[in-house]
């Protein structure tokens, strides 16, 4: 059928084996969204609103952004893949419920059957998002972005480093050789930096508030440390300059985007002043340059602790919409 542009792929017909023409209606989104009901960590009253994963899924459907066939359900990551990033001692402690008291306090969420399943599923989901992004140019996991998990311990609500597991799994399967992680959560991507330190196959970029958790920030390949209360214009100028430079220095096989909702000005754990519009502009900067360079993007969500959970849900849905809009502008072969 030759090259088509995505925005025209609304309805088209094709010949069937008996000579009839069938109307094929493509899915509403031009890429897959990865979701599992057990992404909800069931934390009860907690500053981390893990019910947001379900709320985002429901909002995408209710608002007609996605339809049921756009979603894929992941399997939990195999332990073999988790062990490509995490130490056997740490994984064993998680599986046998034997973290020390100080390890539990550092993690800041309980170790339970539902949290363990939620993190294993998130890692499986980010891996699946990476695989689907290689096929469709984009894919999004509605969980993930647990960038504070280190090889040997978890911290800051992050038990398993889903993006690390995904990259290592895709590399081991020969699907990708190199990757870049671009992390726009308001908190520094300390676990990501530690996991990939000294690894020339993975470039790490983190843009975050300097005076915020974590206090120890191991160096990423590029760290954009921001002052308190920076707003849209300054943030976007700094970010775009850094992102262009990063992709000038390093041409990866895949982008893993950790799209944090917590640089939002109403966030309870953040100290930056971005608006909803500024956050979506940030997403577009990531997606536009990646698409122009032909690099597939796997999106994961990350922190979001807005006073109103609806705002956090809106920010994450806006990320999906930005990916959709840019994906639809890309030439497709049919
Ligand atoms: Zn965060």
């Amino acid at each position: 059928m030759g090259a088509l542009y995505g925005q025209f792929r609304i309805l088209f017909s094709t010949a069937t084996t008996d000579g009839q023409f069938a109307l094929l209606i493509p899915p509403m989104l031009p890429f897959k969204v990865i979701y599992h009901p057990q992404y909800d960590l069931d934390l009860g009253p907690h500053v981390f609103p893990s019910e947001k994963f379900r709320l985002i899924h429901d909002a995408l459907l209710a608002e007609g952004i996605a339809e049921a066939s756009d979603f894929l359900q992941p399997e939990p990551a195999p332990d073999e893949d988790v062990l490509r990033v995490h130490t056997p001692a740490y994984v064993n402690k998680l599986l046998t419920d034997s973290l020390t008291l100080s390890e539990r306090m550092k993690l800041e969420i309980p170790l339970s059957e539902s949290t363990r399943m939620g993190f294993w599923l998130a890692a499986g989901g980010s891996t699946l998002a990476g695989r689907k992004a290689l096929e469709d140019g984009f894919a999004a996991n509605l969980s993930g972005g647990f960038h504070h998990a280190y090889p040997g311990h978890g911290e800051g609500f992050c038990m398993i480093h889903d993006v690390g597991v995904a990259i290592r799994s895709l590399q081991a399967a020969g699907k990708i050789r190199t990757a870049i992680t671009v992390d726009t959560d308001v908190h520094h991507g300390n676990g990501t930096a530690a996991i990939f330190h000294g690894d020339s196959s993975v470039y790490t970029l983190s843009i975050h508030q300097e005076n915020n958790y974590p206090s120890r920030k191991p160096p990423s390949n590029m760290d954009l440390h921001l002052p308190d209360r920076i707003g849209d214009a300054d943030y976007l100028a700094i970010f775009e300059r850094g992102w262009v430079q990063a992709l000038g220095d390093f041409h990866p096989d895949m982008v893993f985007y950790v799209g944090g909702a917590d640089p939002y000005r109403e966030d309870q754990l953040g100290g930056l002043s971005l608006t909803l519009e500024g956050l979506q502009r940030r997403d577009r900067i990531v997606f536009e340059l990646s698409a122009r360079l032909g690099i597939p993007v796997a999106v994961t969500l990350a922190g979001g602790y807005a006073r109103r959970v609806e705002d956090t849900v809106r920010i994450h849905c806006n990320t999906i919409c930005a990916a959709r809009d840019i994906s639809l502008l890309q030439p497709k072969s049919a």
Side-chain angles (χ1 to χ4, degrees):
M1 213 173 196
L4 286 176
Y5 283 81
Q7 64 266 46
F8 300 123
R9 292 182 309 136
I10 297 170
L11 298 174
F12 60 94
S13 57
T14 187
T16 58
T17 48
D18 60 1
Q20 299 296 305
F21 280 84
L23 200 59
L24 299 182
I25 303 174
M28 200 167 279
L29 281 173
F31 53 80
K32 292 297 180 190
V33 176
I34 318 301
Y35 172 74
H36 196 291
Q38 286 176 274
Y39 278 173
D40 189 343
L41 303 176
D42 228 355
L43 297 177
H46 194 285
V47 71
F48 177 22
S50 72
E51 72 274 19
K52 76 176 183 179
F53 305 125
R54 173 176 49 78
L55 297 174
I56 298 161
H57 166 267
D58 293 353
L60 291 174
L61 284 174
E63 295 175 21
I65 298 165
E67 59 187 19
S69 62
D70 293 325
F71 290 92
L72 291 178
Q73 199 161 296
E75 297 288 329
D79 290 349
E80 181 192 4
D81 281 351
V82 174
L83 288 164
R84 297 184 198 282
V85 170
H86 296 284
T87 63
Y90 175 52
V91 173
N92 188 52
K93 283 182 185 180
L94 293 176
L95 295 176
T96 57
D97 198 4
S98 50
L99 292 177
T100 64
L101 181 60
S102 75
E103 287 170 330
R104 286 173 197 275
M105 289 175 68
K106 217 170 167 53
L107 188 54
E108 296 186 89
I109 50 169
L111 175 57
S112 66
E113 200 52 55
S114 58
T115 57
R116 203 163 29 220
M117 177 55 79
F119 282 101
W120 254 257
L121 281 169
S126 291
T127 307
L128 182 56
R131 286 178 175 268
K132 298 310 291 182
L134 287 170
E135 295 172 14
D136 298 329
F138 280 91
N141 184 14
L142 292 191
S143 179
F146 295 115
H147 59 159
H148 299 312
Y150 280 71
H153 74 270
E155 63 175 69
F157 316 151
C158 300
M159 187 184 290
I160 294 292
H161 199 296
D162 57 289
V163 168
V165 170
I167 291 173
R168 291 298 187 225
S169 170
L170 292 168
Q171 286 180 322
K175 301 283 184 189
I176 60 170
R177 201 176 57 77
T178 58
I180 190 166
T181 62
V182 53
D183 183 343
T184 61
D185 190 280
V186 78
H187 305 102
H188 176 256
N190 54 345
T192 317
I195 288 166
F196 296 114
H197 179 72
D199 179 347
S200 62
S201 73
V202 180
Y203 188 106
T204 55
L205 187 167
S206 178
I207 181 167
H208 49 266
Q209 184 188 5
E210 183 161 25
N211 297 318
N212 203 329
Y213 174 90
S215 54
R216 197 175 75 79
K217 298 176 176 63
S220 314
N221 290 95
M222 183 184 292
D223 279 310
L224 301 172
H225 302 293
L226 301 178
D228 298 351
R229 289 293 153 208
I230 196 169
D232 288 349
D234 291 338
Y235 180 102
L236 294 171
I238 293 167
F239 178 56
E240 185 159 29
R241 196 161 52 237
W243 180 227
V244 168
Q245 187 190 324
L247 283 185
D249 292 346
F250 189 83
H251 190 83
D253 296 333
M254 174 165 283
V255 171
F256 272 89
Y257 179 43
V258 178
D262 50 11
Y264 180 46
R265 63 185 177 189
E266 297 291 330
D267 198 89
Q268 299 174 89
L269 301 185
L272 301 184
S273 295
L274 271 72
T275 64
L276 296 176
E277 295 74 25
L279 287 160
Q280 197 180 33
R281 179 69 203 129
R282 169 204 67 175
D283 299 335
R284 293 182 64 88
I285 288 171
V286 174
F287 301 149
E288 278 168 354
L289 184 56
S290 306
R292 206 180 312 146
L293 297 174
I295 308 169
V297 182
V299 178
T300 66
L301 308 182
Y305 316 95
R307 285 170 187 84
R308 294 162 12 104
V309 72
E310 306 92 278
D311 287 347
T312 298
V313 170
R314 177 61 39 216
I315 293 164
H316 289 315
C317 287
N318 284 348
T319 301
I320 305 298
C321 290
R324 174 200 60 194
D325 295 348
I326 289 161
S327 181
L328 286 174
L329 291 171
Q330 299 312 303
K332 309 271 182 195
S333 53

